[in-house]
PDB file of all heavy atoms in Angstrom:
ATOM      1  N   PRO A 312     167.099 141.880 146.762  1.00 90.00           N
ATOM      2  CA  PRO A 312     166.978 142.782 145.631  1.00 90.00           C
ATOM      3  C   PRO A 312     167.641 144.139 145.960  1.00 90.00           C
ATOM      4  O   PRO A 312     167.656 145.076 145.077  1.00 90.00           O
ATOM      5  CB  PRO A 312     165.400 142.990 145.459  1.00 90.00           C
ATOM      6  CG  PRO A 312     164.899 142.755 146.807  1.00 90.00           C
ATOM      7  CD  PRO A 312     165.770 141.772 147.459  1.00 90.00           C
ATOM      8  N   ASP A 313     168.283 144.417 147.121  1.00 91.00           N
ATOM      9  CA  ASP A 313     168.769 145.629 147.490  1.00 91.00           C
ATOM     10  C   ASP A 313     170.144 145.396 148.241  1.00 91.00           C
ATOM     11  O   ASP A 313     170.315 145.757 149.385  1.00 91.00           O
ATOM     12  CB  ASP A 313     167.812 146.405 148.440  1.00 91.00           C
ATOM     13  CG  ASP A 313     168.310 147.832 148.622  1.00 91.00           C
ATOM     14  OD1 ASP A 313     169.070 148.348 147.833  1.00 91.00           O
ATOM     15  OD2 ASP A 313     168.019 148.366 149.718  1.00 91.00           O
ATOM     16  N   GLY A 314     171.165 144.781 147.399  1.00 94.00           N
ATOM     17  CA  GLY A 314     172.331 144.402 148.056  1.00 94.00           C
ATOM     18  C   GLY A 314     173.327 145.559 148.158  1.00 94.00           C
ATOM     19  O   GLY A 314     173.056 146.648 147.599  1.00 94.00           O
ATOM     20  N   PRO A 315     174.491 145.323 148.735  1.00 97.00           N
ATOM     21  CA  PRO A 315     175.516 146.308 148.867  1.00 97.00           C
ATOM     22  C   PRO A 315     176.312 146.631 147.484  1.00 97.00           C
ATOM     23  O   PRO A 315     176.084 145.781 146.581  1.00 97.00           O
ATOM     24  CB  PRO A 315     176.467 145.721 149.887  1.00 97.00           C
ATOM     25  CG  PRO A 315     176.282 144.279 149.671  1.00 97.00           C
ATOM     26  CD  PRO A 315     174.892 144.007 149.274  1.00 97.00           C
ATOM     27  N   PRO A 316     177.029 147.672 147.389  1.00 97.00           N
ATOM     28  CA  PRO A 316     177.900 147.982 146.239  1.00 97.00           C
ATOM     29  C   PRO A 316     178.674 146.704 145.976  1.00 97.00           C
ATOM     30  O   PRO A 316     179.166 146.064 146.836  1.00 97.00           O
ATOM     31  CB  PRO A 316     178.630 149.090 146.676  1.00 97.00           C
ATOM     32  CG  PRO A 316     177.902 149.862 147.720  1.00 97.00           C
ATOM     33  CD  PRO A 316     177.317 148.698 148.476  1.00 97.00           C
ATOM     34  N   VAL A 317     178.920 146.419 144.688  1.00 98.00           N
ATOM     35  CA  VAL A 317     179.744 145.449 144.164  1.00 98.00           C
ATOM     36  C   VAL A 317     180.954 145.969 143.302  1.00 98.00           C
ATOM     37  O   VAL A 317     180.596 146.800 142.387  1.00 98.00           O
ATOM     38  CB  VAL A 317     178.937 144.376 143.305  1.00 98.00           C
ATOM     39  CG1 VAL A 317     179.813 143.284 142.684  1.00 98.00           C
ATOM     40  CG2 VAL A 317     177.815 143.829 144.253  1.00 98.00           C
ATOM     41  N   THR A 318     182.040 145.365 143.457  1.00 98.00           N
ATOM     42  CA  THR A 318     183.175 145.675 142.629  1.00 98.00           C
ATOM     43  C   THR A 318     183.933 144.358 142.166  1.00 98.00           C
ATOM     44  O   THR A 318     183.631 143.312 142.802  1.00 98.00           O
ATOM     45  CB  THR A 318     184.202 146.642 143.115  1.00 98.00           C
ATOM     46  OG1 THR A 318     185.075 147.054 142.224  1.00 98.00           O
ATOM     47  CG2 THR A 318     185.013 145.948 144.454  1.00 98.00           C
ATOM     48  N   SER A 319     184.722 144.353 141.121  1.00 97.00           N
ATOM     49  CA  SER A 319     185.443 143.236 140.739  1.00 97.00           C
ATOM     50  C   SER A 319     186.726 143.884 140.262  1.00 97.00           C
ATOM     51  O   SER A 319     186.743 144.582 139.254  1.00 97.00           O
ATOM     52  CB  SER A 319     184.857 142.367 139.786  1.00 97.00           C
ATOM     53  OG  SER A 319     185.794 141.493 139.218  1.00 97.00           O
ATOM     54  N   VAL A 320     187.984 143.547 140.862  1.00 97.00           N
ATOM     55  CA  VAL A 320     189.152 144.094 140.473  1.00 97.00           C
ATOM     56  C   VAL A 320     189.708 143.589 139.078  1.00 97.00           C
ATOM     57  O   VAL A 320     190.637 144.137 138.464  1.00 97.00           O
ATOM     58  CB  VAL A 320     190.295 144.065 141.582  1.00 97.00           C
ATOM     59  CG1 VAL A 320     189.747 144.489 142.849  1.00 97.00           C
ATOM     60  CG2 VAL A 320     190.812 142.620 141.641  1.00 97.00           C
ATOM     61  N   LYS A 321     189.157 142.441 138.739  1.00 97.00           N
ATOM     62  CA  LYS A 321     189.729 141.737 137.475  1.00 97.00           C
ATOM     63  C   LYS A 321     189.613 142.613 136.262  1.00 97.00           C
ATOM     64  O   LYS A 321     190.283 142.411 135.285  1.00 97.00           O
ATOM     65  CB  LYS A 321     189.188 140.404 137.356  1.00 97.00           C
ATOM     66  CG  LYS A 321     189.546 139.343 138.412  1.00 97.00           C
ATOM     67  CD  LYS A 321     188.998 138.022 138.216  1.00 97.00           C
ATOM     68  CE  LYS A 321     189.416 137.096 139.315  1.00 97.00           C
ATOM     69  NZ  LYS A 321     188.684 137.432 140.506  1.00 97.00           N
ATOM     70  N   GLY A 322     188.642 143.503 136.177  1.00 96.00           N
ATOM     71  CA  GLY A 322     188.446 144.371 135.079  1.00 96.00           C
ATOM     72  C   GLY A 322     189.801 145.235 134.929  1.00 96.00           C
ATOM     73  O   GLY A 322     190.064 145.682 133.743  1.00 96.00           O
ATOM     74  N   ALA A 323     190.408 145.502 135.961  1.00 96.00           N
ATOM     75  CA  ALA A 323     191.656 146.260 136.015  1.00 96.00           C
ATOM     76  C   ALA A 323     192.883 145.396 135.871  1.00 96.00           C
ATOM     77  O   ALA A 323     193.773 145.682 135.100  1.00 96.00           O
ATOM     78  CB  ALA A 323     191.757 147.244 137.126  1.00 96.00           C
ATOM     79  N   THR A 324     192.969 144.480 136.763  1.00 97.00           N
ATOM     80  CA  THR A 324     194.186 143.661 136.911  1.00 97.00           C
ATOM     81  C   THR A 324     194.309 142.498 135.915  1.00 97.00           C
ATOM     82  O   THR A 324     195.353 141.997 135.700  1.00 97.00           O
ATOM     83  CB  THR A 324     194.286 143.092 138.292  1.00 97.00           C
ATOM     84  OG1 THR A 324     193.157 142.132 138.538  1.00 97.00           O
ATOM     85  CG2 THR A 324     194.210 144.132 139.408  1.00 97.00           C
ATOM     86  N   GLY A 325     193.164 141.994 135.321  1.00 97.00           N
ATOM     87  CA  GLY A 325     193.142 140.710 134.696  1.00 97.00           C
ATOM     88  C   GLY A 325     193.000 139.718 135.706  1.00 97.00           C
ATOM     89  O   GLY A 325     192.914 139.886 136.931  1.00 97.00           O
ATOM     90  N   HIS A 326     193.096 138.473 135.296  1.00 97.00           N
ATOM     91  CA  HIS A 326     192.833 137.329 136.163  1.00 97.00           C
ATOM     92  C   HIS A 326     194.076 136.670 136.478  1.00 97.00           C
ATOM     93  O   HIS A 326     194.749 135.989 135.599  1.00 97.00           O
ATOM     94  CB  HIS A 326     191.828 136.239 135.522  1.00 97.00           C
ATOM     95  CG  HIS A 326     191.366 135.200 136.439  1.00 97.00           C
ATOM     96  ND1 HIS A 326     191.681 135.121 137.814  1.00 97.00           N
ATOM     97  CD2 HIS A 326     190.393 134.175 136.212  1.00 97.00           C
ATOM     98  CE1 HIS A 326     191.052 134.134 138.280  1.00 97.00           C
ATOM     99  NE2 HIS A 326     190.235 133.515 137.426  1.00 97.00           N
ATOM    100  N   ALA A 327     194.448 136.639 137.736  1.00 98.00           N
ATOM    101  CA  ALA A 327     195.783 136.082 138.226  1.00 98.00           C
ATOM    102  C   ALA A 327     195.574 134.668 138.880  1.00 98.00           C
ATOM    103  O   ALA A 327     196.388 134.180 139.636  1.00 98.00           O
ATOM    104  CB  ALA A 327     196.507 137.016 139.245  1.00 98.00           C
ATOM    105  N   PHE A 328     194.505 133.962 138.432  1.00 98.00           N
ATOM    106  CA  PHE A 328     194.249 132.663 138.883  1.00 98.00           C
ATOM    107  C   PHE A 328     194.450 132.438 140.359  1.00 98.00           C
ATOM    108  O   PHE A 328     193.705 133.033 141.076  1.00 98.00           O
ATOM    109  CB  PHE A 328     195.203 131.607 138.128  1.00 98.00           C
ATOM    110  CG  PHE A 328     195.026 131.751 136.586  1.00 98.00           C
ATOM    111  CD1 PHE A 328     196.170 131.582 135.782  1.00 98.00           C
ATOM    112  CD2 PHE A 328     193.809 131.914 136.026  1.00 98.00           C
ATOM    113  CE1 PHE A 328     196.030 131.609 134.506  1.00 98.00           C
ATOM    114  CE2 PHE A 328     193.693 132.009 134.592  1.00 98.00           C
ATOM    115  CZ  PHE A 328     194.760 131.882 133.901  1.00 98.00           C
ATOM    116  N   GLY A 329     195.233 131.573 140.859  1.00 98.00           N
ATOM    117  CA  GLY A 329     195.268 131.294 142.155  1.00 98.00           C
ATOM    118  C   GLY A 329     195.723 132.560 143.094  1.00 98.00           C
ATOM    119  O   GLY A 329     195.454 132.586 144.230  1.00 98.00           O
ATOM    120  N   ALA A 330     196.379 133.615 142.534  1.00 98.00           N
ATOM    121  CA  ALA A 330     196.731 134.706 143.215  1.00 98.00           C
ATOM    122  C   ALA A 330     195.587 135.856 143.354  1.00 98.00           C
ATOM    123  O   ALA A 330     195.679 136.742 144.067  1.00 98.00           O
ATOM    124  CB  ALA A 330     197.931 135.360 142.680  1.00 98.00           C
ATOM    125  N   SER A 331     194.578 135.492 142.630  1.00 98.00           N
ATOM    126  CA  SER A 331     193.537 136.568 142.430  1.00 98.00           C
ATOM    127  C   SER A 331     192.906 136.896 143.862  1.00 98.00           C
ATOM    128  O   SER A 331     192.617 138.104 144.180  1.00 98.00           O
ATOM    129  CB  SER A 331     192.473 136.241 141.462  1.00 98.00           C
ATOM    130  OG  SER A 331     191.890 134.954 141.845  1.00 98.00           O
TER     131      SER A 331
END
Side-chain angles (χ1 to χ4, degrees):
D313 189 24
V317 176
T318 190
S319 169
V320 310
K321 292 183 182 70
T324 65
H326 192 358
F328 304 142
S331 61

